Amino acid sequence: MAERSTAAVDVADNSGDEPLTAQADQSTADGVVKNREQDTDTDEAQGSGGTERPGKASPPELHSGHKLARRYRLEECVTRLDGFSSWRAVDEKLRRAVGVHVLPADHARARSVLAAARSSALLGDPRFVQVLDAVEENDLVYVVHEWLPDATELTALLAAGPLEPHDAYQMVSQIASAMAAAHREGLAHLRLSPNAVLRTSSGQWRIRGLAVNAALRGITTDTPQRTDTEAIGALLYAALTQRWPYENDAYGLSGLPKDVGLIAPDQVRAGVHRGLSELSMRALVNDGATASRHEAPCTTPEELVKAIGEMPRIRPPEPAFTAPPEYQRTTYQQGTYGRPAPHPGATQAVPTPPPPLQSRTGRALKWAVSALLIAALGLGSWQLADALVDRTRSDDTNQTRTTDEGDKNSAAPKPVKQLKILDAAEYVVSGDSQHPGDVGETYDNDSATYWRTSSFRAGPPLAPYKPGVGIVYDLGSAHEVSKAAIGLYYGGNHTTVHLYAADSLNPSPSALKSMQKIGTLTTTGTSATVKASKAVKTRYVLVWLTALPYAAGDQYSGDGYKQGITDVKFTG
């Protein structure tokens, strides 16, 4: 009986519109979907993009900072392909990172994407990256899914080398059982690649893009179970050999030599686990080519799960313990305080202490030493008293002179006060703004809130790609600014901060060249105190960042060169 994946849902079943018009990729005799993008695009890999093809619907004009449903703020475009775009975004309502696929509502595949996303969301299996929302509004269709900042793509793992046998076993076992559960609910993936498989920091394997990735690209097949099973076999093959089991290079992996056909992993790389090698071939070769090994091919994830269960379990490698240094007995631990340890069983005589100085010579020596000590103490006391008297006289003279001169020449020091900040605005010289809605959180006296920059791929210096990023502060009226204390969210590398006197709260982009510099500082810590060599009188002060440290990704932003400002205080 022919199977059909819900990844390619017929829109006539959902909305009454015409069936999907995008051309579906056809499956070959061995069940491999020959998709033109399969080995070339990077799917949803962070920091990558695609190339739009002619003849497709134009992608919506979106930009960083755009909000969907007044909730999802787009941060960074990671894929732009076939009339749709994929973004890393922030759910401002729940304050967490999410991923978003966006395409026009009149796109040929919009209805099938919505249907696939809603079907995937109903599965609720934690082994898949969950679909959180699927909405059509304002001429846009968008699908919101989980974003896992602590997860690593299989592509990145394989860039460092093949997986250990136990890791490869865990990967294929978890992926196969997850896909078997999905197929029992009528869902298929059809885009199961190293980019779609993630390993979390806890060692669990998760799959993203179930049904949705195929629907976005209009991929269908009459044998979805067979297609997904072969994809799992390809993942295992790549994990064992660090090679892609086809002639073409893909996902950063070299393909097999041309004209040699599909050879077993243990023939490609020495030391490959024999059982896992045969398992990958059973999943990859579905035309009887494994008959020489007397093993039946696996054509469905369920059969693959059964085959894995029949294998001897592969145990994790024994942890490598470093031998502790040899125990060193010290003389203090032996209780001898430097004396050599006696031999076992030997009795050591306790030495007799020397007698005290009881002779006539000894008594004379004691009196002589005592007399010398008394004389030395007396001499020292006399010199100390003389020095104190001289110092007292000198202090009296200096005090009189200072008082007399101070009355004539000295002026009282100016009081130092903290300047109140009334307003602030982000200053943009070129490119996109950062997070203009958060500038107020830099002077709210709450170190838990902050304004942050975007994540930049190059650094620490932002130039020449961007001259800098910063915020202009309004002090209400002109004051002499002598110092600024700035709290920074990230430490490391280095952060360069400049202070300028601005002419308004929203100066023109070209005004930076004519601004008067107050001070500058470079730091690797999480605070910066910028002091002015000479106080400058101004109402508006620009805090300008031109170099940012590198920081890892979190739930609100990806990894890269970035910085956040938590607290700003100006002193006059």
Side-chain angles (χ1 to χ4, degrees):
M1 180 181 294
E3 302 164 316
R4 190 160 188 85
S5 166
T6 54
V9 179
D10 190 343
V11 294
D13 297 336
N14 297 285
S15 62
D17 296 337
E18 291 298 323
L20 188 66
T21 57
Q23 181 174 350
D25 296 314
Q26 301 299 321
S27 63
T28 61
D30 61 359
V32 178
V33 177
K34 300 299 182 182
N35 178 16
R36 290 174 295 170
E37 304 165 356
Q38 176 172 308
D39 298 334
T40 56
D41 76 73
T42 57
D43 204 5
E44 297 170 277
Q46 294 185 17
S48 64
T51 306
E52 184 179 348
R53 300 181 191 172
K56 303 292 182 182
S58 300
E61 293 297 329
L62 302 174
H63 55 83
S64 178
H66 184 92
K67 287 187 181 181
L68 300 173
R70 298 183 179 180
R71 175 175 178 176
Y72 304 111
R73 185 178 72 239
L74 303 183
E75 292 285 303
E76 180 184 9
C77 182
V78 296
T79 301
R80 196 181 297 274
L81 184 73
D82 274 359
F84 71 88
S85 57
S86 299
W87 296 76
R88 175 178 56 80
V90 173
D91 182 350
E92 294 187 333
K93 185 174 182 180
L94 299 180
R95 296 188 66 83
R96 64 178 178 180
V98 294
V100 181
H101 302 300
V102 187
L103 67 163
D106 59 354
H107 194 285
R109 297 191 285 271
R111 299 295 179 190
S112 60
V113 169
L114 276 176
R118 290 165 181 169
S119 298
S120 178
L122 292 175
L123 182 62
D125 191 320
R127 293 171 293 188
F128 295 92
V129 174
Q130 298 295 297
V131 172
L132 305 176
D133 207 353
V135 181
E136 177 183 359
E137 65 174 11
N138 298 330
D139 298 327
L140 289 176
V141 167
Y142 57 90
V143 176
V144 183
H145 61 85
E146 284 183 295
W147 186 273
L148 306 178
D150 67 332
T152 306
E153 292 179 359
L154 181 58
T155 308
L157 296 175
L158 294 181
L163 301 185
E164 293 292 332
H166 178 262
D167 291 336
Y169 173 80
Q170 289 294 324
M171 184 271 292
V172 71
S173 178
Q174 294 181 33
I175 296 301
S177 61
M179 289 309 306
H183 279 281
R184 284 195 295 269
E185 299 298 326
L187 291 170
H189 197 290
L190 306 186
R191 289 279 301 171
L192 202 53
S193 68
N195 290 332
V197 176
L198 311 172
R199 186 172 69 180
T200 66
S201 57
S202 62
Q204 300 299 310
W205 295 89
R206 300 185 67 178
I207 304 170
R208 67 180 172 191
L210 177 66
V212 176
N213 281 5
L216 284 168
R217 292 164 174 80
I219 298 174
T220 63
T221 177
D222 291 332
T223 57
Q225 294 203 46
R226 186 170 173 176
T227 299
D228 283 343
T229 304
E230 291 198 25
I232 299 172
L235 294 175
L236 178 58
Y237 196 105
L240 296 173
T241 64
Q242 202 184 12
R243 300 286 292 266
W244 193 238
Y246 304 103
E247 291 186 353
N248 296 327
D249 299 346
Y251 309 108
L253 303 174
S254 300
L256 297 179
K258 297 185 181 299
D259 301 325
V260 299
L262 181 61
I263 54 180
D266 54 3
Q267 297 176 3
V268 175
R269 191 181 190 96
V272 172
H273 189 277
R274 179 68 179 272
L276 292 176
S277 176
E278 292 184 357
L279 185 69
S280 68
M281 295 298 289
R282 293 179 64 184
L284 272 171
V285 183
N286 290 315
D287 56 1
T290 57
S292 61
R293 295 198 176 185
H294 308 288
E295 296 288 351
C298 299
T299 59
T300 67
E302 198 75 53
E303 293 179 0
L304 190 57
V305 170
K306 183 179 179 181
I308 295 172
E310 294 172 350
M311 286 179 55
R313 185 177 179 183
I314 301 176
R315 298 186 179 275
E318 293 293 333
F321 292 105
T322 303
E326 185 179 354
Y327 179 69
Q328 300 291 333
R329 293 186 63 86
T330 64
T331 56
Y332 178 82
Q333 290 167 331
Q334 296 172 29
T336 61
Y337 295 95
R339 295 191 298 273
H343 293 289
T347 303
Q348 184 175 6
V350 178
T352 304
L357 297 175
Q358 297 296 338
S359 64
R360 181 182 298 176
T361 304
R363 287 195 297 270
L365 183 59
K366 287 193 292 184
W367 283 109
V369 172
S370 299
L372 287 174
L373 288 175
I374 293 172
L377 289 173
L379 181 60
S381 301
W382 176 77
Q383 289 179 340
L384 178 61
D386 187 58
L388 289 174
V389 171
D390 290 344
R391 183 172 180 179
T392 302
R393 292 174 182 171
S394 176
D395 289 345
D396 292 342
T397 303
N398 291 338
Q399 184 177 1
T400 303
R401 184 180 303 159
T402 302
T403 303
D404 294 341
E405 293 177 357
D407 293 340
K408 296 178 181 179
N409 301 323
S410 65
K414 295 182 179 180
V416 176
K417 64 176 182 178
Q418 182 176 325
L419 305 177
K420 186 176 181 180
I421 301 175
L422 298 184
D423 198 4
E426 191 172 297
Y427 183 45
V428 181
V429 173
S430 67
D432 295 335
S433 60
Q434 305 303 296
H435 295 88
D438 296 337
V439 294
E441 297 179 351
T442 63
Y443 60 95
D444 59 356
N445 295 321
D446 184 0
S447 59
T449 60
Y450 59 94
W451 167 90
R452 62 179 173 83
T453 69
S454 300
S455 297
F456 296 92
R457 293 302 176 193
L462 298 180
Y465 306 106
K466 200 173 186 68
V469 293
I471 301 174
V472 179
Y473 294 91
D474 182 3
L475 305 180
S477 59
H479 296 276
E480 286 192 348
V481 179
S482 60
K483 185 175 70 173
I486 304 168
L488 303 174
Y489 193 73
Y490 301 104
N493 286 34
H494 68 266
T495 302
T496 301
V497 185
H498 306 272
L499 291 186
Y500 291 96
D503 55 0
S504 68
L505 186 61
N506 295 288
S508 64
S510 61
L512 181 63
K513 299 179 181 179
S514 60
M515 290 183 187
Q516 181 180 359
K517 179 176 286 190
I518 300 175
T520 186
L521 177 73
T522 297
T523 179
T524 59
T526 56
S527 64
T529 302
V530 184
K531 296 181 180 179
S533 56
K534 181 180 179 182
V536 176
K537 191 170 185 179
T538 180
R539 173 178 175 177
Y540 304 98
V541 181
L542 168 63
V543 175
W544 189 242
L545 308 179
T546 57
L548 310 178
Y550 183 87
D554 52 34
Q555 60 178 333
Y556 303 118
S557 64
D559 61 327
Y561 293 88
K562 56 185 177 180
Q563 187 55 277
I565 297 178
T566 59
D567 279 314
V568 175
K569 292 182 174 62
F570 296 106
T571 302

